[in-house]
Amino acid sequence: MPYAAEPTRRSVERLTDASAVPLWLDTADRPAPTAPLGGTEQCDLAVVGAGFTGLWTALLAKQADPQRDVVLLEGSRVAQGATGRNGGFCSASLTHGLSNGHSRFADELPQLLHLGEANLAAIGAAVAELGIDCDWRLADDLLLATDPHHVADLAEAAELAGRYDLSAELLDADQVRERVVSPRYLGGLLEHDGLALVDPARLAWGLRRACLDLGVRLFEGSPVTGMTTDGAGMRLTTPAGSVRARRVALASNAFPPLLKRLRSYVVPVWDYCIATEPLPADVLAEIGWAGDEGLADASNQFHYYRLTADRRIVFGGYDAVYYRGNGFGAHLEQRPATAALLVEHLTQTFPATAEVGISHSWGGAIDTCSRFSPFWGTASGGRVGYVAGYTGLGVGASRFGAAVMLDLVDGRDSELTRLAMVRSKPLPFPPEPVRGIGIDLTRRAFDRADREGGRRGPWLKLLDAVGLGFDS
Ligand SMILES: Cc1cc2nc3c(=O)[nH]c(=O)nc-3n(C[C@H](O)[C@H](O)[C@H](O)COP(=O)(O)OP(=O)(O)OC[C@H]3O[C@@H](n4cnc5c(N)ncnc54)[C@H](O)[C@@H]3O)c2cc1C
């Protein structure tokens, strides 16, 4: 049965006391920001943006060459962007799932799967070696059938996983119930070895600490407002200073980009989450969830959810909202209608949570591109590199994205830079108003397909035919 299209008044009321600060950032452990950039600096490599991509870029650059002078410029604070706002699902997938990878990069997918596994393992190893306390846990990925047509979709996904020798187990409703109990579950697909759950902000703060320890010069509160060529290098300007850098790595994700060309490839799509208070023992017992899985349902407009270390449920997704004209800003971080719908859907999923408080409600922007997986490039004669387009699956892929970007700005011919995925670009989005109309049409078509037994209507079929389709 599809999820409710409207929240009840009760679901709206349950948000009254929810904090608007993302759960992960709402702690006294958040490190105080560094001083902003002032005056004129020089460096070998300047990284713009200190989310996961920028932090990994700075860290990997320093680890490879401790003598390299690296400056990291962050407009706000470390992890203030998507990095501190996500569900904390750290996936091995570099292609936003197997099905998307298969439809776009089938020839090199075995290599991409191998690189993705190595990337996830490297993040785990860094967490251990750097002693980052971030609730890092390897977990199973459990994709749930919540509508009858999902059962066949999951069987198809299991068959595809088998073709790539991935361990994926089809579960019937009783087998799902052994792991987690919901009246909505009709079956599941359990995937092993491809996921870790993490507290994303603590991971980012651990990477921040590691960068500082290695001598990265971090300037928070330093938005880069201009980027120009300067002799053989580049000059970056902030409100109170400037940096001349031999090379620049852009890690600004869904934020308005410094490079104009990125505007046609990336649209900010807003995704929202809620978190409950820690679940009382009797509620947890009724749900029967030990919390060793990251959960998501198999709808086009899907929910993703997981338990935290202190046994809250973080529940997000479903509505993905585009605001015309690449709408962006802190004023979009709250969307009460979507938050109330998430409360409603959480209660439909787990009726036992009906009386549990909702502690946090927040949103963030996803750097959506038309191939739903990252892309890279260089500008200004190779002096500037960029990566963007993770489309909501960048917690893990951002480390890979950073490694590729470093190879590109350093002009290295490597296994990574030779990948077709790295050498190709997504199709650009059309300008407004066609852009907004197309995204609205797609969202409505997804909703209709979810409510009509998964049948993809003419618009989704057209997108599939031109290579713009996405089937979660
Ligand atoms: C609600 C939500 C849920 C998500 N859930 C998941 C999930 O469970 N799993 C998953 O894999 N992915 C998830 N994602 C996506 C994931 O969070 C991102 O892909 C990832 O964090 C991207 O990291 P980043 O460093 O590229 O971007 P960001 O974290 O957005 O960092 C970009 C940084 O650049 C800075 N910046 C921008 N412009 C400038 C400038 N001009 N000058 C200086 N600084 C600048 C910003 O202030 C920001 O700190 C989710 C995203 C959202 C919003």
Side-chain angles (χ1 to χ4, degrees):
M1 203 212 329
Y3 279 90
E6 296 292 334
T8 56
R9 178 194 285 260
R10 171 82 186 120
S11 291
V12 175
E13 286 167 1
R14 284 175 70 196
L15 283 158
T16 311
D17 296 327
S19 163
V21 178
L23 170 72
W24 318 110
L25 300 179
D26 191 12
T27 161
D29 296 342
R30 187 173 193 185
T34 57
L37 178 73
T40 307
E41 300 282 344
Q42 306 250 357
C43 68
D44 298 322
L45 174 69
V47 182
V48 179
F52 283 133
T53 303
L55 290 162
W56 281 117
T57 305
L59 185 65
L60 294 175
K62 266 293 194 190
Q63 285 175 333
D65 177 3
Q67 302 311 316
R68 195 168 187 179
D69 187 9
V70 179
V71 163
L72 177 53
L73 296 166
E74 165 53 46
S76 169
R77 289 173 73 174
V78 165
Q80 185 66 26
T83 291
R85 296 167 182 276
N86 57 70
F89 286 59
C90 186
S91 170
S93 179
L94 305 174
T95 60
H96 207 147
L98 190 65
S99 167
N100 192 48
H102 175 70
S103 65
R104 295 179 197 284
F105 313 109
D107 288 349
E108 65 185 18
L109 191 51
Q111 191 183 357
L112 291 171
L113 288 168
H114 174 72
L115 288 166
E117 277 168 30
N119 183 59
L120 182 65
I123 299 173
V127 166
E129 279 158 26
L130 299 168
I132 301 176
D133 178 11
C134 60
D135 189 30
W136 175 266
R137 289 178 269 155
L138 292 177
D140 288 335
D141 210 340
L142 180 53
L143 188 59
L144 294 152
T146 54
D147 259 305
H149 69 273
H150 293 161
V151 175
D153 294 347
L154 294 189
E156 231 177 78
E159 190 272 325
L160 184 62
R163 274 199 255 164
Y164 287 98
D165 286 331
L166 297 173
S167 67
E169 214 182 310
L170 272 180
L171 306 184
D172 63 23
D174 287 339
Q175 289 169 313
V176 171
R177 216 168 290 128
E178 284 167 23
R179 289 179 166 256
V180 52
V181 180
S182 162
R184 304 193 71 84
Y185 298 158
L186 307 173
L189 180 67
L190 188 67
E191 295 176 308
H192 310 288
D193 308 327
L195 181 70
L197 294 175
V198 67
D199 176 328
R202 286 183 187 277
L203 173 57
W205 297 333
L207 296 175
R208 174 189 189 276
R209 179 75 261 153
C211 283
L212 292 172
D213 288 348
L214 286 179
V216 170
R217 293 190 287 145
L218 167 67
F219 299 97
E220 293 175 85
S222 304
V224 177
T225 51
M227 178 171 74
T228 50
T229 53
D230 183 345
M234 301 297 296
R235 180 163 300 278
L236 299 174
T237 313
T238 69
S242 74
V243 180
R244 187 176 178 284
R246 283 187 55 247
R247 294 283 181 270
V248 172
L250 298 177
S252 56
N253 194 38
F255 286 70
L258 287 165
L259 269 184
K260 255 197 194 131
R261 74 185 68 165
L262 288 178
R263 276 184 223 160
S264 60
Y265 288 123
V266 175
V267 296
V269 171
W270 290 75
D271 190 28
Y272 296 88
C273 281
I274 53 167
T276 66
E277 296 287 357
L279 299 186
D282 58 326
V283 172
L284 204 48
E286 202 168 324
I287 296 174
W289 187 16
D292 298 329
E293 303 87 2
L295 306 182
D297 60 65
S299 306
N300 290 301
Q301 292 190 284
F302 62 94
H303 308 90
Y304 53 87
Y305 39 115
R306 42 92 42 110
L307 281 176
T308 61
D310 61 355
R311 293 326 197 209
R312 297 165 192 270
I313 297 178
V314 168
F315 192 87
Y318 189 76
D319 259 349
V321 186
Y322 173 71
Y323 300 92
R324 292 281 165 94
N326 280 15
F328 200 88
H331 62 293
L332 303 177
E333 289 169 7
Q334 293 292 312
R335 191 167 194 266
T338 295
L341 207 50
L342 287 172
V343 176
E344 185 73 29
H345 293 178
L346 169 66
T347 318
Q348 286 185 287
T349 306
F350 297 130
T353 60
E355 300 304 321
V356 177
I358 304 297
S359 62
H360 296 78
S361 166
W362 71 94
I366 278 174
D367 58 337
T368 302
C369 74
S370 65
R371 72 183 200 187
F372 312 103
S373 45
F375 63 92
W376 296 261
T378 58
S380 298
R383 284 172 283 194
V384 177
Y386 58 84
V387 54
Y390 303 106
T391 319
L393 206 72
V395 171
S398 50
R399 182 188 172 280
F400 178 79
V404 174
M405 178 161 61
L406 271 179
D407 278 358
L408 287 174
V409 288
D410 290 343
R412 259 192 300 278
D413 175 28
S414 68
E415 180 195 2
L416 305 186
T417 58
R418 281 194 293 271
L419 289 166
M421 184 189 184
V422 171
R423 293 155 65 95
S424 59
K425 293 272 191 309
L427 284 174
F429 289 101
E432 296 286 9
V434 180
R435 175 179 295 202
I437 293 167
I439 294 172
D440 276 356
L441 276 175
T442 307
R443 191 171 162 226
R444 270 191 246 129
F446 275 149
D447 188 49
R448 206 170 314 119
D450 284 337
R451 291 180 190 286
E452 293 176 359
R455 273 182 300 281
R456 291 169 89 76
W459 177 251
L460 292 182
K461 283 186 183 154
L462 176 69
L463 292 183
D464 291 342
V466 296
L468 292 173
F470 184 70
D471 188 346
S472 65

